[in-house]
Amino acid sequence: MNSDPLRIVIVLIIAVFSVILHELAHGVAAYWLGDRTAKDAGRLTLNPLKHIDPFMSILVPVILYIMKAPVFGGAKPVPVNYRNLKGREWGMALVAIAGPLTNFLIALIAFLIGYFSGALRHDPTGVSYFIFAELVYLNLGFMLFNLIPIPPLDGSRVLYAIAPDSVREIMNKMEVYGFIIVYALILIFGNVFSSLMLNGMEGIINFFYLLVGQQ
């Protein structure tokens, strides 16, 4: 498969599909835990127009792919009112973890289908290999990126649930500038960040191979 435009289109479709399911998982988890905010906002839907952020859902993943860097991205955050959630902070942690968990499950299911169908074991230059490989790698990238414990990323919601009040105060102050901090860290420590992401992805993929009996 040598067509770069086709590769970019495939990556874009997978990225949009993955971030939509990620955000939908947040909304569904919140609904199950008692908060109707996402449902009332019309976000419990697979309609991409309700979820896509042109910058984070399209531009960032494509640019990272072209740069051969670990691909990550996001969508419009699903609105959640944690005061309505059962368990409050712990409920918010469950809502947050639902997104990365969904990406992990997509990666695992794609790996298993690709492996047992032969798509990931034959012809690494083929379209089917590329599709399944990108389903795995992009979703693992989304998962690991969102688990970074810096507000407003999902990992911070889990940290917030177990953190002492002093740490929570700092995290609350960081909320507005969280993405700026994350991007600054990536720009300054880009090579370290890429290495950590790739090592994390490779470790999970090795675990997948263990699941199917491959060392």
Side-chain angles (χ1 to χ4, degrees):
M1 180 180 175
N2 299 315
S3 173
D4 285 338
L6 178 57
R7 287 174 178 263
I8 291 174
V9 169
I10 291 172
V11 167
L12 181 57
I13 291 172
I14 292 173
V16 170
F17 163 78
S18 302
V19 297
I20 287 174
L21 290 186
H22 177 106
E23 291 301 326
L24 182 60
H26 287 318
V28 171
Y31 182 72
W32 285 347
L33 289 170
D35 179 37
R36 293 180 52 91
T37 306
K39 181 176 177 59
D40 292 341
R43 295 297 299 275
L44 298 190
T45 175
L46 290 172
N47 180 358
L49 298 179
K50 294 287 188 177
H51 300 285
I52 290 176
D53 176 275
F55 180 70
M56 284 299 295
S57 307
I58 298 174
L59 194 59
V60 168
V62 170
I63 290 175
L64 290 173
Y65 174 76
I66 293 172
M67 294 173 61
K68 301 187 183 302
V71 177
F72 58 84
K76 296 176 184 176
V78 165
V80 177
N81 186 342
Y82 88 95
R83 294 179 181 83
N84 295 332
L85 297 172
K86 299 173 185 175
R88 295 292 183 92
E89 288 83 4
W90 284 105
M92 193 65 206
L94 291 174
V95 170
I97 207 67
L101 178 59
T102 296
N103 292 125
F104 175 82
L105 291 175
I106 295 171
L108 176 58
I109 291 169
F111 174 84
L112 293 175
I113 294 174
Y115 181 85
F116 287 112
S117 69
L120 287 175
R121 291 186 288 161
H122 308 293
D123 190 14
T125 61
V127 174
S128 59
Y129 178 94
F130 183 77
I131 290 172
F132 281 103
E134 290 304 314
L135 274 166
V136 173
Y137 277 101
L138 263 67
N139 276 282
L140 291 181
F142 290 160
M143 181 193 77
L144 292 173
F145 173 71
N146 279 282
L147 286 177
I148 296 174
I150 297 177
L153 296 177
D154 297 328
S156 70
R157 310 306 184 194
V158 179
L159 177 61
Y160 192 89
I162 62 176
D165 289 341
S166 57
V167 174
R168 288 182 176 184
E169 289 179 9
I170 295 173
M171 294 178 71
N172 288 333
K173 292 177 181 177
M174 291 174 61
E175 186 79 24
V176 178
Y177 307 103
F179 272 125
I180 297 174
I181 295 171
V182 171
Y183 290 137
L185 290 173
I186 291 172
L187 287 173
I188 297 171
F189 303 105
N191 291 335
V192 175
F193 177 79
S194 293
S195 179
L196 290 173
M197 287 275 287
L198 287 171
N199 287 337
M201 292 159 70
E202 290 297 332
I204 296 170
I205 291 171
N206 287 338
F207 169 70
F208 289 171
Y209 275 108
L210 285 175
L211 291 178
V212 297
Q214 296 292 317
Q215 296 295 327

